[in-house]
Amino acid sequence: MLYLTSAVLGAALCCFAFLGLRARWVDGPLDDYITARNSQTASTLGLSFLASGMGAWILFAPPEIGAFVGPLALAGYALGSALPFIVLGLYGPKIRRALPEGRSIAEFAEACYGLGVRRWVTLVSIAYMACFLAAELTAIGAITALLSDVPPALVIIGVALATLIYTAVGGLRASLATDRWQAWLLLALLAVVGSMALWRLPSMPSEAALPAIPVTSALSVALTLVIAVTAANLFHQGYWQRVWAAKDDQSLGRGALLGGAMTIVVVMVIGGLGILAAMSGVSLGAPPMPFFALLTDAPAWLSLSALVLAVTLVASSVDTLQNGIASLIVARSGQRGVSLVAARWVTVGLMIPVVVIALQGLSVLRLFLIADLLCAAIVVPVLLGLWQRMTPIAAVGGGVAGLLGAILPGWLSQGSFSAGVVAASFPGSIPTLGPFLGALTISTLVSVVLAYAIKKQPVQKGAA
């Protein structure tokens, strides 16, 4: 079974690489490499938003939230996962008109506020996406160990290399091309694996009930997840690239709504399996993994299908992240004449430390939560950039105030600044509403107040 599993996974990765390489634009300009400007239809964007937003996380987080917190919190997670697409679909046309030759969220920040804010936004975006990359590759290693005898390091390196081959050569066009096929494949595999997992459920005991958590607690978790996931994903450069890749404003809007709707359905279905697993009394494992608990003692073909599903999920998110980080790094340098070859080497170089981290098998949940909180503190000041009254001072002040707002709930409740800092770093890797709500509310309030109080001055941009 070891050789068969390795062959099937290898074949899947080779297919992804072939599809990506076939879509490359030979000797195209650097701009096309990182934006595929004005080329993608609504259906392509919808499938791309779905595939690039999904990852191995959907096999862990939604089922666990469903099993232990219930459908209300699960709905918050699903909405938070889809909301960034919808926000960009609604807000994107204005961004395209304001910055028709734009390439990234960092360029948007510079156009609104200047070079200093651009550098800050670039740093936050790269840090978040690097965490995401490490988490996805770590997750596929864990899933491989759980479902097969294949060495996890082999699959981690295999996924990294396969995606690197076609993203380094083909850029965003390669990622978009594979997204279409990966989206359909993951939907088909989810249907097969999910229906078989459901069929394998034991009969519901007479005392079966939804998780016994107070409604207020479930609402708190739901709101936390909406804020955290939405704010963080709005700093995902891979999603911003698709704003300019859209053929026109209508394609962007429809594609974003399609991707968001499919994302909500997928997250709710997978999370629903977690709820049913908990209600049925199945042993969820230690640590609890409700989705994989349903695959315990499953036939070999079902475990292999689940593993191919996981590889597809990881590949579809990793290629987007690789291209997104590289585009952020080279976008500004590209204005100074960076070559396409250099852009490709940047893509290769960024994966080396990420793979090294993933091979350690570390938990990155707490780091993810901190990155989410950092994004929540500055997302509103950045997005207010199209408001005519908004100023660089208001944006920076709002961002700093948002960081203090994240600390404030713990500071007030526990009586010391240091306790507030600890609470905002999520000890135990447990997401709590206070820091996120404080960051979002205070950053918005201070940004608006400063925007009205300080007269706007012409933005000083960096040298082109």
Side-chain angles (χ1 to χ4, degrees), residues 263-278:
T263 296
I264 289 174
V265 171
V266 168
V267 173
M268 290 299 294
V269 168
I270 295 296
L273 289 174
I275 294 175
L276 293 175

Side-chain angles (χ1 to χ4, degrees), residues 125-141:
S125 184
I126 289 176
Y128 168 68
M129 289 191 291
C131 288
F132 201 157
L133 259 178
E136 284 298 306
L137 291 175
T138 300
I140 193 57

Side-chain angles (χ1 to χ4, degrees), residues 45-73:
L45 286 173
L47 292 170
S48 181
F49 276 126
L50 172 67
S52 59
M54 295 292 97
W57 61 269
I58 72 165
L59 303 181
F60 291 96
E64 188 171 346
I65 289 168
F68 293 102
V69 190
L72 197 56

Side-chain angles (χ1 to χ4, degrees), residues 13-395:
L13 291 173
C14 286
C15 285
F16 297 154
F18 170 75
L19 292 169
L21 291 172
R22 191 180 63 171
R24 75 191 188 280
W25 188 347
V26 179
D27 297 325
L30 179 64
D31 181 75
D32 188 80
Y33 180 83
I34 60 178
T35 66
R37 194 178 305 279
N38 301 330
S39 64
Q40 304 299 311
T41 63
S43 60
T44 299
L45 286 173
L47 292 170
S48 181
F49 276 126
L50 172 67
S52 59
M54 295 292 97
W57 61 269
I58 72 165
L59 303 181
F60 291 96
E64 188 171 346
I65 289 168
F68 293 102
V69 190
L72 197 56
L74 178 61
Y77 204 123
L79 181 61
S81 300
L83 204 53
F85 309 148
I86 297 170
V87 169
L88 288 177
L90 297 174
Y91 205 55
K94 294 182 180 179
I95 296 172
R96 284 165 61 96
R97 288 192 292 271
L99 206 62
E101 297 302 317
R103 294 173 173 175
S104 68
I105 181 177
E107 288 189 6
F108 171 73
E110 181 181 9
C112 296
Y113 302 122
L115 183 58
V117 176
R118 175 188 179 136
R119 288 171 175 163
W120 174 236
V121 169
T122 299
L123 179 63
V124 171
S125 184
I126 289 176
Y128 168 68
M129 289 191 291
C131 288
F132 201 157
L133 259 178
E136 284 298 306
L137 291 175
T138 300
I140 193 57
I143 294 171
T144 300
L146 193 66
L147 296 179
S148 75
D149 296 325
V150 178
L154 185 64
V155 178
I156 290 173
I157 294 172
V159 170
L161 283 177
T163 53
L164 196 55
I165 288 170
Y166 64 81
T167 55
V169 173
L172 183 58
R173 284 184 181 271
S175 177
L176 290 165
T178 57
D179 281 348
R180 290 196 299 271
W181 294 95
Q182 288 164 343
W184 288 119
L185 180 59
L186 71 87
L187 288 173
L189 288 171
L190 276 174
V192 171
V193 176
S195 60
M196 288 302 300
L198 189 61
W199 181 73
R200 288 169 52 81
L201 269 175
S203 301
M204 290 289 173
S206 56
E207 66 275 11
L210 290 172
I213 181 172
V215 173
T216 52
S217 298
L219 281 172
S220 175
V221 173
L223 186 56
T224 301
L225 292 169
V226 168
I227 295 172
V229 177
T230 302
N233 280 337
L234 283 172
F235 284 87
H236 191 317
Q237 167 64 7
Y239 302 156
W240 281 76
Q241 285 176 290
R242 284 150 179 79
V243 169
W244 289 284
K247 183 174 291 186
D248 49 40
D249 293 349
Q250 191 176 53
S251 297
L252 174 60
R254 290 179 175 177
L257 289 175
L258 175 62
M262 289 191 293
T263 296
I264 289 174
V265 171
V266 168
V267 173
M268 290 299 294
V269 168
I270 295 296
L273 289 174
I275 294 175
L276 293 175
M279 292 175 64
S280 70
V282 169
S283 174
L284 302 183
M289 291 183 287
F291 179 80
F292 294 102
L294 295 176
L295 300 178
T296 303
D297 299 324
W301 72 265
L302 184 57
S303 295
L304 180 56
S305 299
L307 187 52
V308 174
L309 168 63
V311 167
T312 303
L313 288 166
V314 173
S316 65
S317 59
V318 164
D319 63 14
T320 301
L321 290 160
Q322 288 171 336
N323 198 262
I325 294 177
S327 72
L328 270 179
I329 293 172
V330 304
R332 180 165 183 82
S333 302
Q335 296 172 356
R336 299 196 295 267
V338 141
S339 68
L340 194 56
V341 173
R344 287 168 174 157
W345 277 112
V346 167
T347 309
V348 173
L350 69 88
M351 284 303 294
I352 295 174
V354 169
V355 170
V356 170
I357 292 171
L359 290 173
Q360 309 309 308
L362 304 174
S363 171
V364 294
L365 179 56
R366 189 177 185 185
L367 187 58
F368 240 139
L369 289 170
I370 294 171
D372 288 353
L373 184 59
L374 181 61
C375 294
I378 66 174
V379 64
V380 173
V382 170
L383 292 181
L384 283 175
L386 291 179
W387 182 31
Q388 291 185 350
R389 297 193 65 97
M390 198 62 182
T391 67
I393 293 177

